[in-house]
Amino acid sequence: MRIVFVHPNYHSGGAEIAGNWPPAWVAYLAGSLKAAGFTDIHFIDAMTHHIGPEALRAKLAALQPDIIGTTAITPAIYEAEEVLRIASEVVPNALRVLGGIHATFMFRQVLEEAPWIDVIVRGEGEEIMTALAQAVRDGRYPADRRRIKGLAFRDGEEIVATQAASTVKNLDAIDPDWSLLDWDSYIYVPLGVKVAIPNMARGCPFTCSFCSQWKFWRDYRVRDPKKVVDEIERLVNDHGVGFFILADEEPTINKKKFVEFCQELIDRGLPDRIKWGINTRVTDIWRDRDLLKFYRKAGLVHVSLGTEAAAQLKLDLFNKETTVAQNKEAIRLLREADIFTEAQFIVGLDNETAETLEETYRMAWDWQPDLANWSMYTPWPFTPLFQEIRDKVEVFDFSKYNFVTPIMKPEALSRGELLDGVMKNYRRFYMKKALLHYPWRGTGFRRRYLLGCLKAFLKAGVGRTFYDLGKAGYWGPQTKNSVDFHFDDSRKIAPAQTADWEAAADRAARAAERREAVRAQGKERAAERNAALAGVPDLAPMACGGGKGQME
């Protein structure tokens, strides 16, 4: 049985600035499928190789798969739907499968707007995809599809979601197959080396209101650090990888495992052959301030910090549980350890003004990270914050939900003015860095890395791919009132998805009412008990420390 995976041909002016990123989902799914006996697996990276519809048709016609699968983050959803629409015409007998975070939470929306999709895999795909492939191989599909956990599909006019599958408990059993990828295509521009994105842990214990990762992965699990280093060593030896970024939301959460991971890299001499970067929280940097030089010795050279916002008000809104002062201190500590820092700022909420944009620039320059990134707030439609501000969201063209397009319109700014303010911050920050810092700060690797980052920005700027400026028609402040983001106004939330949201909101409200009623009952009973015991000296309730008074 032949399985073909396709990475959809979606592009934005964001992460691609630093290079082409290898689609890790393919390696992890293929590894699990091969362990289950499925060896005829092929991969088409339409994104990296810019494969258009006609070329994709030809490749699918030549391969004649039994199953064709693709995935999608929110901005790539329409391209993913188009992949499977083309498959429905070219290989109509193949089972058409969609996975990924958007389809997991928005399956009703997807199945309404793309009825040619046969089935959606909801959640982590390794075990669900294997069960699905086994059912197809054994001739049990579609008869058994309601028995397979973690699926969604149409059955006539009904949209069916089977019971959610459990998360993958034994991550160490997953052996990703990285051989499917064309490694010469995945280059990290700042260093000019091949790049990989392995996975050390899944999940996140924090519940930032704008993020969906904690909802998708659900529980937090960490792989055996030695297994992860085994994988990295194979990437270096077999594929010539020279830089990797851990895919984890926050790999430093489990300090013990992270330290073991770093020590294992050092023990095998890998820091001399490969460097790496992570995303993490400022609180972990402060916690590990005495270990930062040890992390640098292990090859960690780049840390991206979710500083998020200059105004503490926004940090509180996002449930970040950090302070502005902590952000500044974390950057100072990393700089002292010779680790490059990237500060991430979220801009573009409804209360954004020219003054708050200016505040983020001044703060970035005061903190002196090596890199700064201003991302447009993107209201993922499956996050708690989206439900809170849904009445303010005007754009439902998900192809623009890419961190570089202003989805929200601030009350005090037009979208063009918001984009111009962000570009002004970028121009000032990187012009001053290029003139005053990058060529003169340090020697050897530090200087080469910083100049490589500058090269990546300049390359994207000259090509007008940075922030999709070419597509929007932005050429400077003089064009801020004429930019066109080309929103597809015909895109709306499907009725089935809206009904699902409202039902979920009703369930949440009823659950909150029940919790409040239980708490009220508990308080009432406690008050009755205390009143009954108040006249009995030996049994009267005592305050902490044994006194009869309670501090205010």
Side-chain angles (χ1 to χ4, degrees), residues 6 8 52-54 56-57 60 68-70 76-98 110 113-119 491:
V6 180
E54 293 310 311
L56 180 60
R57 284 175 181 274
L60 292 178
I68 174 170
T70 188
I77 185 60
Y78 304 138
E79 290 292 340
E81 291 173 357
E82 181 65 7
V83 166
L84 298 182
R85 189 193 67 79
I86 291 172
S88 71
E89 297 175 353
V90 179
V91 282
N93 294 326
L95 183 71
R96 299 178 291 277
V97 185
L98 175 65
V110 172
E113 66 191 13
W116 53 84
I117 295 173
D118 291 322
V119 61
R491 299 285 186 179

mmCIF file of all heavy atoms in Angstrom, residues 6 8 52-54 56-57 60 68-70 76-98 110 113-119 491:
data_model
loop_
_atom_site.group_PDB
_atom_site.id
_atom_site.type_symbol
_atom_site.label_atom_id
_atom_site.label_comp_id
_atom_site.label_asym_id
_atom_site.label_seq_id
_atom_site.Cartn_x
_atom_site.Cartn_y
_atom_site.Cartn_z
ATOM 1 N N VAL A 6 2.043 15.268 1.489
ATOM 2 C CA VAL A 6 2.317 16.516 0.770
ATOM 3 C C VAL A 6 2.332 17.663 1.767
ATOM 4 O O VAL A 6 1.383 17.828 2.557
ATOM 5 C CB VAL A 6 1.251 16.787 -0.311
ATOM 6 C CG1 VAL A 6 1.570 18.095 -1.042
ATOM 7 C CG2 VAL A 6 1.166 15.627 -1.295
ATOM 8 N N PRO A 8 1.835 21.483 2.061
ATOM 9 C CA PRO A 8 1.178 22.450 1.167
ATOM 10 C C PRO A 8 2.055 23.646 0.818
ATOM 11 O O PRO A 8 2.911 24.071 1.608
ATOM 12 C CB PRO A 8 -0.065 22.876 1.955
ATOM 13 C CG PRO A 8 0.223 22.523 3.372
ATOM 14 C CD PRO A 8 1.140 21.344 3.351
ATOM 15 N N GLY A 52 3.525 24.029 -7.943
ATOM 16 C CA GLY A 52 2.194 24.531 -8.230
ATOM 17 C C GLY A 52 1.199 23.423 -8.516
ATOM 18 O O GLY A 52 1.547 22.233 -8.530
ATOM 19 N N PRO A 53 -0.061 23.782 -8.783
ATOM 20 C CA PRO A 53 -1.127 22.790 -8.976
ATOM 21 C C PRO A 53 -0.850 21.790 -10.089
ATOM 22 O O PRO A 53 -1.064 20.588 -9.920
ATOM 23 C CB PRO A 53 -2.351 23.650 -9.284
ATOM 24 C CG PRO A 53 -2.055 24.972 -8.648
ATOM 25 C CD PRO A 53 -0.591 25.165 -8.780
ATOM 26 N N GLU A 54 -0.379 22.258 -11.249
ATOM 27 C CA GLU A 54 -0.183 21.334 -12.369
ATOM 28 C C GLU A 54 0.960 20.357 -12.106
ATOM 29 O O GLU A 54 0.862 19.171 -12.433
ATOM 30 C CB GLU A 54 0.073 22.127 -13.653
ATOM 31 C CG GLU A 54 -1.132 22.933 -14.119
ATOM 32 C CD GLU A 54 -2.402 22.081 -14.174
ATOM 33 O OE1 GLU A 54 -2.357 20.970 -14.755
ATOM 34 O OE2 GLU A 54 -3.437 22.524 -13.630
ATOM 35 N N LEU A 56 1.905 19.373 -9.188
ATOM 36 C CA LEU A 56 1.418 18.448 -8.167
ATOM 37 C C LEU A 56 0.537 17.374 -8.798
ATOM 38 O O LEU A 56 0.614 16.189 -8.434
ATOM 39 C CB LEU A 56 0.647 19.218 -7.086
ATOM 40 C CG LEU A 56 0.074 18.373 -5.944
ATOM 41 C CD1 LEU A 56 1.185 17.642 -5.196
ATOM 42 C CD2 LEU A 56 -0.725 19.242 -4.975
ATOM 43 N N ARG A 57 -0.306 17.787 -9.729
ATOM 44 C CA ARG A 57 -1.142 16.811 -10.436
ATOM 45 C C ARG A 57 -0.291 15.726 -11.082
ATOM 46 O O ARG A 57 -0.588 14.529 -10.974
ATOM 47 C CB ARG A 57 -1.959 17.517 -11.526
ATOM 48 C CG ARG A 57 -3.147 18.312 -11.046
ATOM 49 C CD ARG A 57 -3.806 19.062 -12.201
ATOM 50 N NE ARG A 57 -4.925 19.842 -11.745
ATOM 51 C CZ ARG A 57 -6.165 19.379 -11.612
ATOM 52 N NH1 ARG A 57 -6.415 18.116 -11.940
ATOM 53 N NH2 ARG A 57 -7.129 20.145 -11.174
ATOM 54 N N LEU A 60 1.250 13.326 -8.423
ATOM 55 C CA LEU A 60 0.273 12.408 -7.843
ATOM 56 C C LEU A 60 -0.163 11.355 -8.862
ATOM 57 O O LEU A 60 -0.343 10.178 -8.512
ATOM 58 C CB LEU A 60 -0.940 13.186 -7.329
ATOM 59 C CG LEU A 60 -0.707 14.092 -6.112
ATOM 60 C CD1 LEU A 60 -1.984 14.845 -5.754
ATOM 61 C CD2 LEU A 60 -0.215 13.284 -4.921
ATOM 62 N N ILE A 68 -3.426 9.644 0.575
ATOM 63 C CA ILE A 68 -2.682 10.898 0.441
ATOM 64 C C ILE A 68 -3.013 11.763 1.650
ATOM 65 O O ILE A 68 -4.178 11.976 1.988
ATOM 66 C CB ILE A 68 -3.009 11.636 -0.868
ATOM 67 C CG1 ILE A 68 -2.314 12.998 -0.875
ATOM 68 C CG2 ILE A 68 -4.503 11.795 -1.090
ATOM 69 C CD1 ILE A 68 -2.361 13.713 -2.194
ATOM 70 N N GLY A 69 -1.972 12.208 2.344
ATOM 71 C CA GLY A 69 -2.159 12.985 3.560
ATOM 72 C C GLY A 69 -1.437 14.310 3.497
ATOM 73 O O GLY A 69 -0.364 14.429 2.915
ATOM 74 N N THR A 70 -2.047 15.315 4.099
ATOM 75 C CA THR A 70 -1.407 16.629 4.211
ATOM 76 C C THR A 70 -1.766 17.221 5.564
ATOM 77 O O THR A 70 -2.567 16.655 6.314
ATOM 78 C CB THR A 70 -1.839 17.559 3.066
ATOM 79 O OG1 THR A 70 -1.052 18.765 3.103
ATOM 80 C CG2 THR A 70 -3.310 17.924 3.150
ATOM 81 N N ALA A 76 -2.210 28.011 6.322
ATOM 82 C CA ALA A 76 -2.004 27.115 5.185
ATOM 83 C C ALA A 76 -3.231 26.262 4.880
ATOM 84 O O ALA A 76 -3.176 25.412 3.991
ATOM 85 C CB ALA A 76 -0.809 26.202 5.452
ATOM 86 N N ILE A 77 -4.340 26.494 5.572
ATOM 87 C CA ILE A 77 -5.473 25.580 5.462
ATOM 88 C C ILE A 77 -6.049 25.537 4.042
ATOM 89 O O ILE A 77 -6.402 24.460 3.543
ATOM 90 C CB ILE A 77 -6.576 25.937 6.490
ATOM 91 C CG1 ILE A 77 -7.700 24.894 6.447
ATOM 92 C CG2 ILE A 77 -7.094 27.338 6.298
ATOM 93 C CD1 ILE A 77 -7.258 23.495 6.757
ATOM 94 N N TYR A 78 -6.136 26.666 3.359
ATOM 95 C CA TYR A 78 -6.736 26.639 2.024
ATOM 96 C C TYR A 78 -5.835 25.924 1.024
ATOM 97 O O TYR A 78 -6.324 25.238 0.120
ATOM 98 C CB TYR A 78 -7.045 28.061 1.549
ATOM 99 C CG TYR A 78 -7.921 28.838 2.499
ATOM 100 C CD1 TYR A 78 -7.665 30.182 2.783
ATOM 101 C CD2 TYR A 78 -8.984 28.225 3.160
ATOM 102 C CE1 TYR A 78 -8.450 30.887 3.670
ATOM 103 C CE2 TYR A 78 -9.776 28.929 4.056
ATOM 104 C CZ TYR A 78 -9.509 30.258 4.310
ATOM 105 O OH TYR A 78 -10.277 30.955 5.206
ATOM 106 N N GLU A 79 -4.523 26.070 1.180
ATOM 107 C CA GLU A 79 -3.594 25.334 0.316
ATOM 108 C C GLU A 79 -3.692 23.833 0.577
ATOM 109 O O GLU A 79 -3.615 23.022 -0.358
ATOM 110 C CB GLU A 79 -2.156 25.816 0.540
ATOM 111 C CG GLU A 79 -1.864 27.215 0.018
ATOM 112 C CD GLU A 79 -1.900 27.282 -1.505
ATOM 113 O OE1 GLU A 79 -1.773 26.228 -2.155
ATOM 114 O OE2 GLU A 79 -2.053 28.398 -2.041
ATOM 115 N N ALA A 80 -3.859 23.457 1.840
ATOM 116 C CA ALA A 80 -4.000 22.037 2.174
ATOM 117 C C ALA A 80 -5.294 21.479 1.590
ATOM 118 O O ALA A 80 -5.324 20.357 1.055
ATOM 119 C CB ALA A 80 -3.962 21.840 3.683
ATOM 120 N N GLU A 81 -6.364 22.254 1.699
ATOM 121 C CA GLU A 81 -7.636 21.825 1.108
ATOM 122 C C GLU A 81 -7.502 21.666 -0.407
ATOM 123 O O GLU A 81 -8.077 20.734 -0.995
ATOM 124 C CB GLU A 81 -8.729 22.843 1.439
ATOM 125 C CG GLU A 81 -9.123 22.866 2.908
ATOM 126 C CD GLU A 81 -10.084 23.982 3.260
ATOM 127 O OE1 GLU A 81 -10.423 24.797 2.357
ATOM 128 O OE2 GLU A 81 -10.504 24.070 4.418
ATOM 129 N N GLU A 82 -6.740 22.553 -1.030
ATOM 130 C CA GLU A 82 -6.542 22.473 -2.485
ATOM 131 C C GLU A 82 -5.737 21.238 -2.872
ATOM 132 O O GLU A 82 -6.001 20.612 -3.913
ATOM 133 C CB GLU A 82 -5.839 23.744 -2.978
ATOM 134 C CG GLU A 82 -5.589 23.798 -4.480
ATOM 135 C CD GLU A 82 -6.848 23.846 -5.320
ATOM 136 O OE1 GLU A 82 -7.963 23.972 -4.748
ATOM 137 O OE2 GLU A 82 -6.734 23.752 -6.560
ATOM 138 N N VAL A 83 -4.754 20.858 -2.051
ATOM 139 C CA VAL A 83 -3.992 19.631 -2.309
ATOM 140 C C VAL A 83 -4.936 18.440 -2.417
ATOM 141 O O VAL A 83 -4.851 17.621 -3.352
ATOM 142 C CB VAL A 83 -2.951 19.386 -1.186
ATOM 143 C CG1 VAL A 83 -2.402 17.956 -1.250
ATOM 144 C CG2 VAL A 83 -1.807 20.385 -1.301
ATOM 145 N N LEU A 84 -5.867 18.347 -1.471
ATOM 146 C CA LEU A 84 -6.776 17.210 -1.466
ATOM 147 C C LEU A 84 -7.865 17.337 -2.530
ATOM 148 O O LEU A 84 -8.391 16.319 -3.002
ATOM 149 C CB LEU A 84 -7.380 17.033 -0.073
ATOM 150 C CG LEU A 84 -6.347 16.729 1.023
ATOM 151 C CD1 LEU A 84 -7.023 16.507 2.370
ATOM 152 C CD2 LEU A 84 -5.507 15.509 0.667
ATOM 153 N N ARG A 85 -8.202 18.547 -2.926
ATOM 154 C CA ARG A 85 -9.150 18.706 -4.044
ATOM 155 C C ARG A 85 -8.514 18.202 -5.343
ATOM 156 O O ARG A 85 -9.159 17.492 -6.132
ATOM 157 C CB ARG A 85 -9.566 20.168 -4.205
ATOM 158 C CG ARG A 85 -10.709 20.376 -5.201
ATOM 159 C CD ARG A 85 -10.879 21.827 -5.565
ATOM 160 N NE ARG A 85 -9.728 22.319 -6.327
ATOM 161 C CZ ARG A 85 -9.549 22.076 -7.618
ATOM 162 N NH1 ARG A 85 -10.399 21.334 -8.307
ATOM 163 N NH2 ARG A 85 -8.481 22.570 -8.234
ATOM 164 N N ILE A 86 -7.250 18.552 -5.545
ATOM 165 C CA ILE A 86 -6.527 18.059 -6.725
ATOM 166 C C ILE A 86 -6.441 16.538 -6.679
ATOM 167 O O ILE A 86 -6.650 15.849 -7.683
ATOM 168 C CB ILE A 86 -5.118 18.694 -6.785
ATOM 169 C CG1 ILE A 86 -5.239 20.195 -7.098
ATOM 170 C CG2 ILE A 86 -4.243 17.993 -7.813
ATOM 171 C CD1 ILE A 86 -3.928 20.951 -6.987
ATOM 172 N N ALA A 87 -6.176 15.986 -5.491
ATOM 173 C CA ALA A 87 -6.096 14.528 -5.354
ATOM 174 C C ALA A 87 -7.425 13.874 -5.687
ATOM 175 O O ALA A 87 -7.460 12.776 -6.277
ATOM 176 C CB ALA A 87 -5.670 14.167 -3.933
ATOM 177 N N SER A 88 -8.537 14.536 -5.339
ATOM 178 C CA SER A 88 -9.853 13.953 -5.633
ATOM 179 C C SER A 88 -10.088 13.825 -7.130
ATOM 180 O O SER A 88 -10.875 12.970 -7.571
ATOM 181 C CB SER A 88 -10.955 14.800 -4.995
ATOM 182 O OG SER A 88 -11.105 16.047 -5.681
ATOM 183 N N GLU A 89 -9.417 14.655 -7.921
ATOM 184 C CA GLU A 89 -9.558 14.607 -9.372
ATOM 185 C C GLU A 89 -8.549 13.659 -10.019
ATOM 186 O O GLU A 89 -8.880 12.948 -10.962
ATOM 187 C CB GLU A 89 -9.393 16.012 -9.958
ATOM 188 C CG GLU A 89 -10.457 16.994 -9.499
ATOM 189 C CD GLU A 89 -10.211 18.406 -10.005
ATOM 190 O OE1 GLU A 89 -9.134 18.650 -10.611
ATOM 191 O OE2 GLU A 89 -11.074 19.274 -9.789
ATOM 192 N N VAL A 90 -7.318 13.656 -9.491
ATOM 193 C CA VAL A 90 -6.236 12.886 -10.124
ATOM 194 C C VAL A 90 -6.233 11.433 -9.664
ATOM 195 O O VAL A 90 -6.052 10.509 -10.470
ATOM 196 C CB VAL A 90 -4.871 13.542 -9.826
ATOM 197 C CG1 VAL A 90 -3.737 12.735 -10.449
ATOM 198 C CG2 VAL A 90 -4.845 14.968 -10.323
ATOM 199 N N VAL A 91 -6.404 11.218 -8.352
ATOM 200 C CA VAL A 91 -6.413 9.855 -7.800
ATOM 201 C C VAL A 91 -7.678 9.692 -6.945
ATOM 202 O O VAL A 91 -7.599 9.615 -5.714
ATOM 203 C CB VAL A 91 -5.137 9.572 -6.974
ATOM 204 C CG1 VAL A 91 -3.959 9.279 -7.873
ATOM 205 C CG2 VAL A 91 -4.789 10.757 -6.058
ATOM 206 N N PRO A 92 -8.833 9.640 -7.588
ATOM 207 C CA PRO A 92 -10.109 9.669 -6.853
ATOM 208 C C PRO A 92 -10.316 8.501 -5.903
ATOM 209 O O PRO A 92 -11.112 8.612 -4.958
ATOM 210 C CB PRO A 92 -11.158 9.657 -7.976
ATOM 211 C CG PRO A 92 -10.453 9.075 -9.161
ATOM 212 C CD PRO A 92 -9.034 9.545 -9.035
ATOM 213 N N ASN A 93 -9.633 7.399 -6.106
ATOM 214 C CA ASN A 93 -9.811 6.238 -5.229
ATOM 215 C C ASN A 93 -8.918 6.274 -4.002
ATOM 216 O O ASN A 93 -9.037 5.411 -3.122
ATOM 217 C CB ASN A 93 -9.547 4.948 -6.017
ATOM 218 C CG ASN A 93 -10.585 4.731 -7.105
ATOM 219 O OD1 ASN A 93 -11.761 5.075 -6.939
ATOM 220 N ND2 ASN A 93 -10.161 4.184 -8.234
ATOM 221 N N ALA A 94 -7.993 7.239 -3.923
ATOM 222 C CA ALA A 94 -7.121 7.353 -2.751
ATOM 223 C C ALA A 94 -7.889 7.980 -1.590
ATOM 224 O O ALA A 94 -8.730 8.861 -1.785
ATOM 225 C CB ALA A 94 -5.894 8.200 -3.085
ATOM 226 N N LEU A 95 -7.600 7.509 -0.383
ATOM 227 C CA LEU A 95 -8.206 8.111 0.806
ATOM 228 C C LEU A 95 -7.514 9.438 1.074
ATOM 229 O O LEU A 95 -6.298 9.517 1.191
ATOM 230 C CB LEU A 95 -8.034 7.180 2.010
ATOM 231 C CG LEU A 95 -8.693 7.680 3.312
ATOM 232 C CD1 LEU A 95 -10.211 7.604 3.209
ATOM 233 C CD2 LEU A 95 -8.195 6.871 4.514
ATOM 234 N N ARG A 96 -8.291 10.503 1.203
ATOM 235 C CA ARG A 96 -7.744 11.855 1.359
ATOM 236 C C ARG A 96 -7.826 12.267 2.836
ATOM 237 O O ARG A 96 -8.918 12.400 3.394
ATOM 238 C CB ARG A 96 -8.506 12.833 0.464
ATOM 239 C CG ARG A 96 -8.377 12.455 -1.008
ATOM 240 C CD ARG A 96 -9.167 13.373 -1.914
ATOM 241 N NE ARG A 96 -10.622 13.224 -1.782
ATOM 242 C CZ ARG A 96 -11.346 12.286 -2.395
ATOM 243 N NH1 ARG A 96 -10.747 11.389 -3.174
ATOM 244 N NH2 ARG A 96 -12.657 12.237 -2.230
ATOM 245 N N VAL A 97 -6.653 12.492 3.441
ATOM 246 C CA VAL A 97 -6.547 12.692 4.893
ATOM 247 C C VAL A 97 -5.927 14.056 5.185
ATOM 248 O O VAL A 97 -4.924 14.436 4.573
ATOM 249 C CB VAL A 97 -5.674 11.594 5.539
ATOM 250 C CG1 VAL A 97 -5.661 11.742 7.058
ATOM 251 C CG2 VAL A 97 -6.166 10.210 5.128
ATOM 252 N N LEU A 98 -6.509 14.774 6.138
ATOM 253 C CA LEU A 98 -5.972 16.063 6.588
ATOM 254 C C LEU A 98 -5.712 16.002 8.084
ATOM 255 O O LEU A 98 -6.542 15.495 8.850
ATOM 256 C CB LEU A 98 -6.960 17.191 6.280
ATOM 257 C CG LEU A 98 -6.584 18.586 6.808
ATOM 258 C CD1 LEU A 98 -5.318 19.101 6.136
ATOM 259 C CD2 LEU A 98 -7.727 19.566 6.602
ATOM 260 N N VAL A 110 -13.826 23.036 8.326
ATOM 261 C CA VAL A 110 -13.084 22.466 7.202
ATOM 262 C C VAL A 110 -13.971 21.526 6.387
ATOM 263 O O VAL A 110 -13.997 21.582 5.151
ATOM 264 C CB VAL A 110 -11.821 21.738 7.697
ATOM 265 C CG1 VAL A 110 -11.151 20.976 6.571
ATOM 266 C CG2 VAL A 110 -10.841 22.732 8.316
ATOM 267 N N GLU A 113 -16.443 23.532 4.253
ATOM 268 C CA GLU A 113 -15.918 24.280 3.113
ATOM 269 C C GLU A 113 -15.143 23.394 2.138
ATOM 270 O O GLU A 113 -14.873 23.807 1.007
ATOM 271 C CB GLU A 113 -15.030 25.435 3.589
ATOM 272 C CG GLU A 113 -13.739 25.016 4.278
ATOM 273 C CD GLU A 113 -13.039 26.186 4.961
ATOM 274 O OE1 GLU A 113 -13.666 27.250 5.099
ATOM 275 O OE2 GLU A 113 -11.878 26.016 5.356
ATOM 276 N N ALA A 114 -14.768 22.186 2.560
ATOM 277 C CA ALA A 114 -14.016 21.277 1.687
ATOM 278 C C ALA A 114 -14.579 19.864 1.809
ATOM 279 O O ALA A 114 -13.937 18.974 2.378
ATOM 280 C CB ALA A 114 -12.533 21.306 2.046
ATOM 281 N N PRO A 115 -15.768 19.613 1.265
ATOM 282 C CA PRO A 115 -16.413 18.300 1.430
ATOM 283 C C PRO A 115 -15.685 17.158 0.738
ATOM 284 O O PRO A 115 -16.015 15.987 0.963
ATOM 285 C CB PRO A 115 -17.806 18.523 0.819
ATOM 286 C CG PRO A 115 -17.640 19.680 -0.112
ATOM 287 C CD PRO A 115 -16.606 20.566 0.521
ATOM 288 N N TRP A 116 -14.690 17.468 -0.106
ATOM 289 C CA TRP A 116 -13.926 16.407 -0.772
ATOM 290 C C TRP A 116 -12.895 15.756 0.154
ATOM 291 O O TRP A 116 -12.274 14.776 -0.210
ATOM 292 C CB TRP A 116 -13.218 16.981 -1.999
ATOM 293 C CG TRP A 116 -12.380 18.185 -1.706
ATOM 294 C CD1 TRP A 116 -11.098 18.202 -1.247
ATOM 295 C CD2 TRP A 116 -12.772 19.558 -1.819
ATOM 296 N NE1 TRP A 116 -10.663 19.481 -1.064
ATOM 297 C CE2 TRP A 116 -11.671 20.346 -1.413
ATOM 298 C CE3 TRP A 116 -13.942 20.191 -2.230
ATOM 299 C CZ2 TRP A 116 -11.711 21.742 -1.417
ATOM 300 C CZ3 TRP A 116 -13.989 21.579 -2.221
ATOM 301 C CH2 TRP A 116 -12.876 22.340 -1.826
ATOM 302 N N ILE A 117 -12.710 16.299 1.362
ATOM 303 C CA ILE A 117 -11.806 15.678 2.336
ATOM 304 C C ILE A 117 -12.513 14.481 2.948
ATOM 305 O O ILE A 117 -13.632 14.590 3.458
ATOM 306 C CB ILE A 117 -11.396 16.689 3.422
ATOM 307 C CG1 ILE A 117 -10.561 17.819 2.803
ATOM 308 C CG2 ILE A 117 -10.617 15.998 4.543
ATOM 309 C CD1 ILE A 117 -10.248 18.946 3.757
ATOM 310 N N ASP A 118 -11.871 13.324 2.899
ATOM 311 C CA ASP A 118 -12.488 12.098 3.408
ATOM 312 C C ASP A 118 -12.473 12.017 4.924
ATOM 313 O O ASP A 118 -13.457 11.623 5.543
ATOM 314 C CB ASP A 118 -11.779 10.868 2.828
ATOM 315 C CG ASP A 118 -12.030 10.697 1.344
ATOM 316 O OD1 ASP A 118 -13.162 10.955 0.906
ATOM 317 O OD2 ASP A 118 -11.080 10.327 0.627
ATOM 318 N N VAL A 119 -11.335 12.361 5.523
ATOM 319 C CA VAL A 119 -11.218 12.172 6.964
ATOM 320 C C VAL A 119 -10.174 13.130 7.526
ATOM 321 O O VAL A 119 -9.180 13.453 6.865
ATOM 322 C CB VAL A 119 -10.849 10.705 7.300
ATOM 323 C CG1 VAL A 119 -9.504 10.323 6.692
ATOM 324 C CG2 VAL A 119 -10.864 10.444 8.795
ATOM 325 N N ARG A 491 -14.884 34.815 2.897
ATOM 326 C CA ARG A 491 -14.613 33.795 3.908
ATOM 327 C C ARG A 491 -15.343 34.141 5.208
ATOM 328 O O ARG A 491 -15.166 35.225 5.761
ATOM 329 C CB ARG A 491 -13.117 33.691 4.175
ATOM 330 C CG ARG A 491 -12.283 33.287 2.963
ATOM 331 C CD ARG A 491 -12.429 31.813 2.667
ATOM 332 N NE ARG A 491 -11.530 31.380 1.596
ATOM 333 C CZ ARG A 491 -11.442 30.134 1.165
ATOM 334 N NH1 ARG A 491 -12.201 29.188 1.722
ATOM 335 N NH2 ARG A 491 -10.612 29.807 0.200
#
